[in-house]
Amino acid sequence: MSFRKVNLTILVLAVVLFLLVLHHNFLGLSSLLRNEVSDSGIVGLQPIDFVPKAPQHAVDQRQEEIPVVIAASEDRLGGAIAAINSIQHNTHSNVIFYIVALNNTADHLRSWLNSDSLKSIRYKIVHFDTKLLEGKVKEDPDQVESMKPLTFARFYLPILVPSAKKAIYMDDDVIVQGDILALFNTPLKPGHAAAFSEDCDSASTKVVIRGAGNQYNYIGYLDYKKERIRKLSMKASTCSFNPGVFVANLTEWKRQNITNQLEKWMKLNVEEGLYSRSLAGSITTPPLLIVFYQQHSTIDPMWNVRHLGSSAGKRYSPQFIKAAKLLHWNGHFKPWGRTASYMDIWEKWYIPDPTGKFSLIRRYMEISNIK
């Protein structure tokens, strides 16, 4: 009888010991997971939020996933929200948004995306570590893009969307009026890692920047006085393209080490100053122009109707604006700002910030404040 009691005691102790070990391992795993979420990672791009099962509006989950990458900086967050909302409401496709942000924006963005109007959106917030740009970008107040690290997120697409074979990148100053599936299905030629809208296409008028020359060829972006640029044998008159909207073949992108190539030219520009300073000091477009010289496909021009932000006036007819698949306010005049063209179209897709941190700047508000 005592022998049975000893066995029972040993068994109980063994069970207790097993439960203690299991509990300890569980705590260790939880700690590890917490560290993985908070750690920015070696490459500097780390998911910090993921909503994989948000309720869908008549979306067939069997459809191919369409990854859409968009950068969301704190001072332009309303733009990203409007762009995302317009995409979601004009498609029945299985879209997932990869929203690239800095750490100080994540909570604000998450609270905005929890609004009732946006709850059907599937998204992943990805932290962008600015250490990635060390030695590749030199901050210069005269070059606005150098002060905005998220503008370079597009260079790192395979890391942002590691499991995808194809993805769409969009700037935050766009509104989508067509079905994003059509853009995603843009055919890319063999060996091409991306498809852009060229600046010489029929839909986008050639824009002349005051005192800066034409914004539609390579000489507007690259300094052809530099020997390194001349050695590339790229024609200065070659039509440039707009990198604010493009479709990427990520398999080909990785095969050609596009990200490494872009970083190479970023570093060389810091050392030698290879880019033209005439066109608003762009430092995002030039490396893309070099790497994709005569090696890119084209998207339908109606999927990047741009220059809406180049002036406060309306440059296109109402019929043309209505027919456009995507409207792009590239330029100084943003639709959330004081003065911009076609603001009424943009505001249709804007969702007010529930936290009140972001607000539209409007002339009538300034007038009422004066009164």
Side-chain angles (χ1 to χ4, degrees):
M1 189 74 174
S2 59
F3 180 75
R4 288 182 180 178
K5 286 184 178 180
V6 170
N7 283 345
L8 183 61
T9 302
I10 292 173
L11 180 61
V12 170
L13 288 172
V15 170
V16 171
L17 181 62
F18 172 77
L19 290 174
L20 286 171
V21 171
L22 184 64
H23 181 65
H24 175 76
N25 288 342
F26 176 75
L27 289 177
L29 177 59
S30 298
S31 176
L32 175 61
L33 290 175
R34 282 198 301 272
N35 288 339
E36 286 181 350
V37 169
S38 62
D39 186 6
S40 62
I42 296 174
V43 295
L45 296 163
Q46 179 73 25
I48 56 177
D49 200 5
F50 188 29
V51 180
K53 295 181 180 179
Q56 299 293 289
H57 63 292
V59 168
D60 185 354
Q61 294 290 341
R62 295 170 297 179
Q63 290 180 342
E64 182 181 5
E65 211 168 63
I66 300 179
V68 176
V69 178
I70 187 167
S73 59
E74 184 69 23
D75 61 326
R76 301 162 60 107
L77 209 51
I81 292 293
I84 290 169
N85 190 35
S86 70
I87 293 169
Q88 183 75 2
H89 279 80
N90 283 302
T91 188
H92 291 296
S93 297
N94 190 13
V95 178
I96 178 167
F97 296 93
Y98 288 78
I99 310 171
V100 191
L102 302 179
N103 266 342
N104 61 356
T105 303
D107 289 340
H108 185 189
L109 179 57
R110 192 180 298 112
S111 63
W112 208 332
L113 290 168
N114 284 336
S115 303
D116 290 339
S117 303
L118 300 169
K119 282 186 176 178
S120 65
I121 290 168
R122 298 177 68 224
Y123 67 88
K124 179 182 290 186
I125 300 176
V126 184
H127 165 60
F128 189 87
D129 191 340
T130 55
K131 290 179 181 177
L132 265 178
L133 304 178
E134 289 180 357
K136 305 180 188 80
V137 178
K138 184 178 180 180
E139 287 195 1
D140 181 350
D142 293 331
Q143 293 180 315
V144 179
E145 291 178 1
S146 70
M147 313 294 283
K148 298 180 178 180
L150 290 178
T151 192
F152 300 99
R154 71 197 83 194
F155 291 2
Y156 299 92
L157 290 183
I159 307 172
L160 292 167
V161 196
S163 59
K165 295 180 181 178
K166 193 175 184 181
I168 294 171
Y169 172 84
M170 286 187 181
D171 281 344
D172 58 7
D173 53 357
V174 306
I175 288 296
V176 172
Q177 300 186 135
D179 189 337
I180 198 70
L181 179 62
L183 179 61
F184 187 72
N185 286 336
T186 297
L188 274 71
K189 295 178 181 178
H192 287 183
F196 303 91
S197 176
E198 294 194 347
D199 290 324
C200 302
D201 63 41
S202 57
S204 295
T205 308
K206 296 175 181 179
V207 176
V208 178
I209 304 297
R210 193 174 300 170
N214 293 320
Q215 190 183 349
Y216 59 91
N217 53 32
Y218 271 47
I219 198 170
Y221 292 92
L222 298 166
D223 188 351
Y224 275 80
K225 295 177 182 177
K226 298 296 173 70
E227 183 181 1
R228 191 178 293 275
I229 295 298
R230 293 199 304 272
K231 281 185 175 180
L232 293 173
S233 299
M234 300 184 301
K235 289 184 178 179
S237 59
T238 301
C239 185
S240 56
F241 54 77
N242 181 274
V245 179
F246 65 90
V247 181
N249 178 337
L250 298 181
T251 303
E252 195 63 37
W253 188 294
K254 287 184 277 192
R255 189 186 71 80
Q256 297 182 31
N257 293 317
I258 297 295
T259 296
N260 290 340
Q261 291 188 56
L262 292 168
E263 288 185 325
K264 167 192 168 183
W265 287 103
M266 291 168 73
K267 291 175 184 176
L268 286 172
N269 178 62
V270 169
E271 297 167 4
E272 304 175 26
L274 302 176
Y275 308 158
S276 170
R277 298 179 68 90
S278 60
L279 292 175
S282 175
I283 57 175
T284 307
T285 304
L288 289 162
L289 294 179
I290 294 172
V291 172
F292 287 104
Y293 179 69
Q294 296 185 345
Q295 287 294 320
H296 67 273
S297 298
T298 57
I299 64 174
D300 182 340
M302 298 301 282
W303 273 101
N304 193 355
V305 173
R306 50 197 178 278
H307 304 309
L308 273 65
S310 62
S311 70
K314 296 186 176 182
R315 62 186 308 116
Y316 300 119
S317 70
Q319 294 80 8
F320 182 74
I321 288 294
K322 186 177 181 180
K325 303 298 183 183
L326 181 146
L327 300 173
H328 189 181
W329 280 264
N330 60 315
H332 295 294
F333 300 93
K334 301 304 181 186
W336 53 84
R338 184 176 295 101
T339 307
S341 58
Y342 311 103
M343 288 192 295
D344 56 327
I345 297 174
W346 183 86
E347 283 192 32
K348 175 184 175 183
W349 301 108
Y350 174 71
I351 305 294
D353 182 2
T355 70
K357 294 178 182 178
F358 184 96
S359 58
L360 305 182
I361 303 172
R362 293 294 183 256
R363 274 183 171 180
Y364 62 81
M365 292 181 180
E366 294 177 349
I367 294 171
S368 61
N369 288 336
I370 293 172
K371 292 179 179 179

